[in-house]
Amino acid sequence: MQTRIGSVGSLEEGKDPVITTRTSQSKTLPLRALQLFGFFLALCIGFSIISIYTIRRFGIYSTVTTVKSTFVPCAEESNSLDHWRKPPSSLLHSMSDKELLWRASFVPRIKKYPFNRLPKIAFMFLTKGPLPLAPLWERFFRGHEGLYSVYIHSLPSFKAEFPSSSVFYRRQIPSQVAEWGRMSMCDAERRLLANALLDISNEWFILLSESCIPLYNFSVIYQYIMKSKHSFMGAFDDPGPFGRGRYNYNMVPEVNISKWRKGSQWFEVNRKLAINIVEDVTYYPKFERFCRPACYVDEHYFPTMLTIQTPNLLANRSITWVDWSRGGPHPGTFGRSDITEDFFKRILEGHQCKYNDQPSSICFLFARKFAPSAMEPLLQIAQKVLGF
């Protein structure tokens, strides 16, 4: 019995040393943590002192200051009127068509310009590639700088190689493939108008092809366009199969058949009508969806839309002469053997039209289609027949 009691007693007595050991360890732990924290604090203070000394000694602070001082605020040019008044320094840009049309649709609400604005004609060339008649146009433009702008829409793959002295030098705009008779052709025309609208001095916009030539000198054409009350776009009601016969009744209510019009692709419009064309989101979807070959959209879209919007501003005729007498889907083409004085008399004489609501015998300012072979005889006859 005593042995069991002793055993129990010794077990109970044996608890005290264990409890004592644990209590002693718990007292030592905070002391060590405090020592470590103190060492770490001293290390940080020492590092801070060394860093401050290094900055003062070796001028690291002045280096940081120099880097900050190189900051220059961007878009400073936009605060100047010149940013809006002067044409873009380059026709190349990264805008999408949607962005370009939006930007080109900007219109000043105050009609009077706060600077001396000399209105210009934008000559817009819609071409697949080269401009074989460029030498004739160079002669036409010579001496009239400041009164015109030139824009070229060609195939994206075409790289023009005009000399720096040429009026066509770096005048290509960002382009896309345009297919005859399809909406991509109207897209190209809108692209030309939109790029030309970025120059606020452009007041009139003439669409031309690589096979077009001027029929008068620059001064005559400039005065004719400037003094006209109307823009020159054909927009007539053709009741036959190639007019109303192309109409699709799915175009109502935006386009009623009574307003359906047809006209030449080659036009001249003023700035107001050019803006109407580039800002359009009402008629474009209808023509894109419901006017496809054999409905040739480039003959109907602009004439119909402008007849609905601003019929009083249209002369309802084109100023570009073409010869349809040979029949077929395309007008006649003229080469070297066709270029004679009698040929031009046939173009220039014997016509009657309305100009500012008055009878006129000057009805055409341009003509097409001329082959590259016509270039040399045209240069020879230009001074005598065309006046330049």
Side-chain angles (χ1 to χ4, degrees):
M1 288 290 294
Q2 289 178 351
T3 305
R4 287 185 64 185
I5 294 169
S7 299
V8 171
S10 52
L11 283 172
E12 289 177 353
E13 289 171 0
K15 290 179 182 177
D16 290 340
V18 173
I19 293 170
T20 305
T21 305
R22 287 178 181 174
T23 307
S24 137
Q25 285 176 351
S26 65
K27 286 181 181 178
T28 15
L29 281 173
L31 182 60
R32 288 181 182 174
L34 205 59
Q35 288 173 342
L36 284 171
F37 176 75
F39 175 76
F40 179 74
L41 185 63
L43 191 65
C44 289
I45 293 171
F47 180 76
S48 300
I49 293 172
I50 293 170
S51 299
I52 292 170
Y53 173 78
T54 305
I55 289 171
R56 290 181 178 177
R57 178 70 179 81
F58 297 103
I60 294 176
Y61 178 78
S62 63
T63 304
V64 175
T65 306
T66 305
V67 171
K68 287 184 178 180
S69 67
T70 60
F71 173 77
V72 178
C74 62
E76 188 175 349
E77 187 185 358
S78 63
N79 296 326
S80 169
L81 180 63
D82 285 347
H83 177 74
W84 301 94
R85 181 177 65 86
K86 291 183 178 180
S89 56
S90 172
L91 296 186
L92 298 179
H93 56 74
S94 59
M95 287 185 284
S96 66
D97 277 358
K98 185 177 181 180
E99 294 166 338
L100 173 65
L101 296 175
W102 176 82
R103 172 65 183 85
S105 67
F106 287 5
V107 182
R109 302 297 295 174
I110 298 176
K111 293 184 178 180
K112 187 175 181 180
Y113 292 92
F115 56 89
N116 184 23
R117 177 179 181 261
L118 187 61
K120 299 189 295 186
I121 298 177
F123 291 83
M124 308 179 303
F125 290 86
L126 181 57
T127 173
K128 291 183 178 179
L131 293 171
L133 305 178
L136 185 71
W137 284 100
E138 298 273 7
R139 185 186 292 185
F140 168 79
F141 287 123
R142 191 178 301 149
H144 300 284
E145 291 74 15
L147 294 176
Y148 67 87
S149 302
V150 173
Y151 301 86
I152 304 170
H153 186 292
S154 61
L155 289 173
S157 58
F158 175 70
K159 304 299 179 185
E161 295 182 356
F162 294 104
S164 58
S165 58
S166 172
V167 297
F168 299 104
Y169 180 66
R170 293 183 177 175
R171 301 310 298 174
Q172 282 181 277
I173 65 168
S175 62
Q176 296 182 31
V177 174
E179 295 179 89
W180 178 70
R182 297 188 178 274
M183 201 55 163
S184 59
M185 184 65 73
C186 293
D187 291 336
E189 295 169 9
R190 295 178 87 200
R191 207 171 289 126
L192 278 164
L193 285 169
N195 278 277
L197 281 166
L198 298 182
D199 184 347
I200 202 167
S201 292
N202 286 331
E203 184 64 27
W204 307 285
F205 306 79
I206 301 174
L207 183 67
L208 302 158
S209 75
E210 73 276 13
S211 65
C212 284
I213 67 166
L215 293 175
Y216 296 93
N217 63 43
F218 185 92
S219 298
V220 170
I221 290 178
Y222 185 89
Q223 292 295 318
Y224 193 97
I225 297 295
M226 179 184 68
K227 293 180 179 179
S228 175
K229 298 188 302 183
H230 305 99
S231 287
F232 297 97
M233 177 176 290
F236 61 94
D237 184 3
D238 179 359
F242 303 114
R244 289 198 178 199
R246 296 172 175 175
Y247 177 77
N248 188 320
Y249 283 91
N250 287 309
M251 301 186 81
V252 294
E254 288 82 2
V255 181
N256 191 283
I257 192 170
S258 63
K259 298 294 184 181
W260 182 256
R261 294 294 183 268
K262 182 180 179 180
S264 169
Q265 177 185 6
W266 314 104
F267 60 78
E268 178 274 329
V269 292
N270 62 22
R271 191 171 184 90
K272 173 180 171 52
L273 298 188
I275 291 171
N276 283 7
I277 291 172
V278 302
E279 72 179 3
D280 173 48
V281 293
T282 301
Y283 303 98
Y284 183 96
K286 289 288 185 175
F287 279 91
E288 183 183 33
R289 186 175 178 184
F290 299 115
C291 184
R292 299 186 177 188
C295 175
Y296 299 107
V297 67
D298 53 279
E299 295 180 356
H300 296 281
Y301 174 30
F302 299 156
T304 299
M305 181 185 73
L306 296 180
T307 294
I308 296 170
Q309 293 179 332
T310 55
N312 59 311
L313 296 182
L314 300 180
N316 193 18
R317 65 182 177 91
S318 174
I319 50 174
T320 300
W321 179 89
V322 291
D323 181 14
W324 291 100
S325 63
R326 303 178 186 182
H330 301 286
T333 300
F334 305 98
R336 175 186 295 271
S337 60
D338 298 299
I339 309 305
T340 63
E341 291 186 33
D342 289 338
F343 171 77
F344 279 101
K345 283 182 181 180
R346 182 161 63 91
I347 297 176
L348 298 171
E349 298 176 4
H351 302 290
Q352 287 295 319
C353 57
K354 288 289 185 71
Y355 177 75
N356 290 339
D357 301 322
Q358 299 298 318
S360 174
S361 60
I362 300 179
C363 302
F364 300 106
L365 304 182
F366 307 94
R368 66 185 298 269
K369 301 171 57 175
F370 290 85
S373 64
M375 182 70 266
E376 186 179 342
L378 281 171
L379 287 173
Q380 293 172 355
I381 207 172
Q383 180 63 46
K384 183 178 181 180
V385 176
L386 306 179
F388 62 90

